[in-house]
Amino acid sequence: MTVTLPRTQERPAPARARPGVLGRLGGLAFRRRGRVLLAWLVGLAIAFGLSSILGGDFAADYSAPGSDSKLAQDRLAQRFPARAGDSVDVVVRANTPVTDVAVREEVAALLAKLAGLPHVAGVDDPYASPGGVSADGRTLLARLNLDVANPADMPVADTERLLGAAEEASRPGLEVALGGRSIQVAEGNEVGSEGIGLLVAAVILLVMFGTVVAAGLPLGVAIAGLAVSGTLTGLVAALLDVPDWAPVLASMLGIALGIDYALLMVTRFREWRAKGLNPEDATVATMDTAGRAVLVAGGTVLVSMLGLFAMGLSFMSGAAAVTMVAVFVVLAAAVTLFPALLGYLGKWIDRLRVPLVTRKATRMGPARGWTWWNRLVRRYRVVGMLAGVAALLALAVPFLSVNFGFPDAGNDGAGTSSRRSYDAVAEGFGPGANGPLLLVADVAVAARLGAELSETPGVAAVSPAQLNPAGDTALMTVVPATGPQDAATEELVRTIRERVIPAATAGTDAEAYVGGVTATAIDTNTNIAKRLPLLIGGVVLLSMLLLMLAFRSVVIPLTAAALNLLSVAAAYGVVALALQGGWLGQLIGIDTATPLAAFIPVLMFAILFGLSMDYEVFLLSRMREGWVRTRDNGRAVGDGLASTGRVITAAAAIMLAVFAAFVPSSDIAVKVFGFGMAVAILIDVTVVRMLLVPAAMHLLGRANWWLPAPLERVLPQLHVEGRPDTT
């Protein structure tokens, strides 16, 4: 007689071989869940305490090591310490000449008031300084020298007091605007990206899982990881230069990855429960399958971030270190905290159903829609491949004409003080006045150098040499005839370095260097362009090796690398189109043609390549599971796509929302990065992961899983798809 167990009754776990390391770790965390939670709380407290005692401050040096601008910056700090701090430009635009007695009195009162505010170390007299009054006499430019070297160190409240004083001094016929990086920081808006990302993620998880408990697990893991990694930022800052935007990047990536990884494991846990395993055995099996995929996926992200160290830029190394700490903490939470939480909530994984969500959300197994999509892709795999590749190449075309450079105040919002200051300076003194070059030279060649510069095409003005207190070094300000983002300005910098300075220093051992914000931006972009092939080659090669080790195939890593590079190129193209300031740019708040800071595509590549490999691992691990079980490539591809389609699209939707939360930022670099990453995720999960990858797998057939015999013998068995006895 056959006895059928009720659906709700759990059956004993089948006899299986001993679980792998992750399975045993998951089982231990499940049984010792109280101790695991306590350990995480203690770790958080220790991290907070160490960061409070030993934590460093944010700092960023955007100059290229060993470059001409870096040498100029170092010499300026050593020999002109009064000019080494940050500064604020005070721009006065009047309907009458600014030299009129009444206007001079108002300007004097304003500058006196500004000089008495906190962190203002000194004020230059615009009437006594060369170039302080425009040729038409209607615009005046004065400089406030601050006692902080880094704009991020200027308290926003004190900057707002400067802005308030300027606003009070303005009247009809007399407009006062302040410019400078400190002003841009104070006028920037906080968009609460983390909160937006978590809120959207909660909605998506509730819709996908249909129960509060299942949706809450990924959020809990992500928040715990964010809490610990956030407190460790100060310790990283004590060792490396960490830019002020790095913690935001790290927290957003940590949230997205934490949710994605836990989402995958919750899905697999529910599948094992649906097969009848009790909570502990289901946890062990989940860690032995999905847990392995998570570690490989996280490893690809860490490999990608390691590539940023190859750029040789301190601010990128600091950002990479903070982000890697966040990813590492997320992985630690996934393999320890997650199974511990299952120890408390595993039995109730399908409790607290969401009333408006269909019960289909709680059903396990391949979705019919994805099964239908797989059949369609398999039938039209050649057409799908050609159409997908053509679409990606078409999207990449605008990147061929992108303008590299650093966005400045001219790209800020039209109503901001920094933008009004920029426009007034350009109108009154010429476009080059917004990006002057600073020449630091030995005093022996200063006069000759000044004469050579005055006769150089493209130079609008050269200030008289200012000597340092020791009298051995001269500082000259060179105003280009073109704006800081103009290609002619870059050519002028090159001309000064390659022709003017050698001519002025010929026959002497004197030295001269070209610095300033504009020259620093040019040198940094050049340095990044020179090192970019090293980054791309290193990240792609290491990722391919990791995939080959995980999936025991030569073809799969090659296909993944090629498709990921196409995906990155397409995202670059969409970003370049938005930066043109047309209809697409206006949708995200870019109304003028804007250059692309070279470090943005570098960051995008490193992060996107890692995330793309995440989705690749999620997808291929289930495909390989089917291949190992059936040796039928078509069936394996179909089962893998149908089993992971919902997970990958939900994970991508969460990731897209997380990065889209950057777009409202007033900081152009942050806005462009957020938009670029959101577009990249959308392209990757729709065109690449859901179309090109299965189409390519169907085209290649059994060749997907080919591995040369010598490699077959030496490569270790990771069983990323799960051990044979657990699948």
Side-chain angles (χ1 to χ4, degrees):
M1 181 177 67
T2 302
V3 178
T4 303
L5 294 174
R7 291 184 60 186
T8 57
Q9 183 173 340
E10 297 169 358
R11 64 175 172 82
R16 301 193 311 275
R18 190 185 185 198
V21 174
L22 279 181
R24 295 197 299 273
L25 179 61
L28 180 64
F30 184 97
R31 294 187 299 273
R32 302 287 187 267
R33 45 192 174 271
R35 297 179 185 180
V36 172
L37 291 181
L38 180 61
W40 272 88
L41 290 174
V42 171
L44 175 62
I46 293 174
F48 181 80
L50 291 176
S51 185
S52 300
I53 298 172
L54 305 175
D57 297 323
F58 295 127
D61 182 0
Y62 291 96
S63 59
S67 65
D68 200 64
S69 58
K70 175 63 174 175
L71 295 173
Q73 177 181 315
D74 292 343
R75 184 158 294 195
L76 186 67
Q78 295 168 2
R79 305 189 182 183
F80 293 88
R83 296 292 300 271
D86 190 29
S87 63
V88 171
D89 291 334
V90 182
V91 184
V92 179
R93 182 93 171 147
N95 291 342
T96 59
V98 294
T99 52
D100 288 354
V101 175
V103 176
R104 291 187 67 139
E105 290 177 351
E106 291 183 80
V107 170
L110 169 64
L111 296 181
K113 184 175 183 178
L114 293 173
L117 294 179
H119 296 290
V120 178
V123 181
D124 294 343
D125 183 356
Y127 296 104
S129 303
V133 178
S134 64
D136 64 2
R138 302 300 177 95
T139 307
L140 174 146
L141 175 60
R143 168 173 289 182
L144 303 181
N145 296 309
L146 305 180
D147 61 5
V148 295
N150 191 338
D153 295 334
M154 180 68 176
V156 172
D158 292 331
T159 305
E160 289 175 344
R161 294 176 67 180
L162 296 176
L163 288 167
E167 185 177 352
E168 291 177 4
S170 298
R171 61 170 174 77
L174 185 74
E175 180 186 4
V176 180
L178 304 184
R181 182 57 185 156
S182 298
I183 302 300
Q184 289 180 292
V185 171
E187 291 186 314
N189 61 313
E190 297 291 336
V191 296
S193 302
E194 293 89 344
I196 295 174
L198 286 172
L199 179 61
V200 173
V203 173
I204 294 173
L205 290 170
L206 286 172
V207 172
M208 179 181 177
F209 289 129
T211 70
V212 174
V213 175
L217 276 171
L219 290 174
V221 171
I223 292 172
L226 174 65
V228 175
S229 62
T231 57
L232 294 174
T233 299
L235 296 179
V236 178
L239 302 174
L240 300 170
D241 287 346
V242 175
D244 54 2
W245 47 263
V248 178
L249 172 64
S251 64
M252 299 307 289
L253 190 60
I255 289 173
L257 290 178
I259 293 175
D260 282 2
Y261 294 163
L263 186 156
L264 175 68
M265 293 193 293
V266 167
T267 301
R268 205 66 200 269
F269 177 80
R270 295 174 82 196
E271 290 178 3
W272 287 117
R273 289 284 288 149
K275 291 182 178 181
L277 295 186
N278 63 50
E280 182 176 348
D281 289 331
T283 299
V284 173
T286 296
M287 300 308 297
D288 249 348
T289 51
R292 296 169 186 262
V294 163
L295 282 189
V296 173
T300 61
V301 177
L302 292 174
V303 165
S304 295
M305 298 308 299
L306 275 174
L308 293 179
F309 286 91
M311 301 308 295
L313 298 172
S314 62
F315 74 94
M316 277 200 178
S317 297
V322 170
T323 306
M324 290 176 68
V325 167
V327 175
F328 182 80
V329 171
V330 162
L331 290 175
V335 299
T336 59
L337 182 60
F338 177 77
L341 292 176
L342 286 179
Y344 290 105
L345 302 173
K347 283 186 177 181
W348 322 109
I349 195 74
D350 289 326
R351 296 294 180 88
L352 299 178
R353 295 184 185 274
V354 180
L356 299 180
V357 177
T358 174
R359 291 180 66 87
K360 290 182 180 180
T362 62
R363 297 176 186 171
M364 294 296 99
R368 292 181 180 179
W370 288 108
T371 301
W372 170 84
W373 175 251
N374 172 67
R375 289 199 299 265
L376 186 66
V377 171
R378 184 175 185 178
R379 182 175 182 181
Y380 299 104
R381 51 191 178 274
V382 176
V383 175
M385 280 293 297
L386 293 176
V389 171
L392 294 180
L393 291 176
L395 289 174
V397 168
F399 188 66
L400 298 176
S401 58
V402 70
N403 175 30
F404 283 104
F406 273 60
D408 53 30
N411 304 115
D412 289 349
T416 60
S417 178
S418 57
R419 174 68 177 272
R420 290 187 289 111
S421 168
Y422 185 97
D423 292 342
V425 168
E427 183 178 352
F429 298 91
N434 279 303
L437 307 176
L438 299 180
L439 265 73
V440 185
D442 291 338
V443 71
V445 296
R448 187 175 175 183
L449 186 57
E452 292 278 354
L453 288 168
S454 299
E455 298 176 359
T456 301
V459 173
V462 181
S463 71
Q466 301 178 37
L467 301 184
N468 67 329
D472 59 356
T473 307
L475 172 64
M476 289 176 282
T477 301
V478 179
V479 179
T482 51
Q485 299 175 10
D486 198 303
T489 303
E490 182 175 351
E491 183 62 31
L492 174 62
V493 171
R494 200 159 28 240
T495 298
I496 293 174
R497 288 171 172 170
E498 296 176 0
R499 292 174 48 194
V500 176
I501 291 178
T505 58
T508 72
D509 57 358
E511 297 177 329
Y513 306 103
V514 183
V517 174
T518 301
T520 297
I522 292 171
D523 290 342
T524 300
N525 285 335
T526 301
N527 181 76
I528 290 176
K530 181 175 65 176
R531 292 174 178 263
L532 188 57
L534 180 62
L535 167 69
I536 294 176
V539 169
V540 170
L541 180 61
L542 289 176
S543 298
M544 287 174 60
L545 290 175
L546 187 57
L547 287 182
M548 183 173 67
L549 185 64
F551 297 108
R552 306 186 68 77
S553 166
V554 171
V555 176
I556 283 177
L558 290 172
T559 305
L563 294 180
N564 283 357
L565 289 175
L566 275 176
S567 176
V568 171
Y572 285 176
V574 177
V575 168
L577 183 62
L579 288 174
Q580 294 175 7
W583 65 269
L584 182 58
Q586 292 174 8
L587 287 178
I588 62 173
I590 297 177
D591 57 0
T592 60
T594 304
L596 177 63
F599 70 85
I600 291 179
V602 170
L603 284 175
M604 282 182 59
F605 174 81
I607 295 174
L608 178 60
F609 203 87
L611 296 181
S612 298
M613 287 298 184
D614 267 11
Y615 299 138
E616 187 83 349
V617 170
F618 290 176
L619 181 60
L620 290 177
S621 62
R622 295 306 292 267
M623 290 181 179
R624 177 164 173 79
E625 179 180 323
W627 168 253
V628 170
R629 187 175 62 250
T630 67
R631 295 293 165 174
D632 183 335
N633 180 76
R635 182 179 173 185
V637 173
D639 289 349
L641 184 60
S643 299
T644 60
R646 289 180 65 223
V647 175
I648 291 177
T649 51
I654 292 170
M655 194 79 72
L656 191 152
V658 165
F659 285 112
F662 282 104
V663 175
S665 173
S666 60
D667 189 301
I668 293 294
V670 173
K671 178 191 296 290
V672 171
F673 175 79
F675 173 72
M677 288 302 303
V679 168
I681 295 296
L682 180 62
I683 291 173
D684 188 80
V685 77
T686 54
V687 180
V688 177
R689 227 48 58 191
M690 297 292 102
L691 173 61
L692 290 179
V693 169
M697 297 287 286
H698 282 307
L699 270 174
L700 293 170
R702 298 178 64 89
N704 287 307
W705 314 103
W706 176 72
L707 184 68
L711 291 178
E712 180 73 41
R713 289 191 294 268
V714 299
L715 288 182
Q717 289 277 1
L718 293 187
H719 293 299
V720 70
E721 73 285 352
R723 296 168 62 86
D725 52 278
T726 61
T727 58

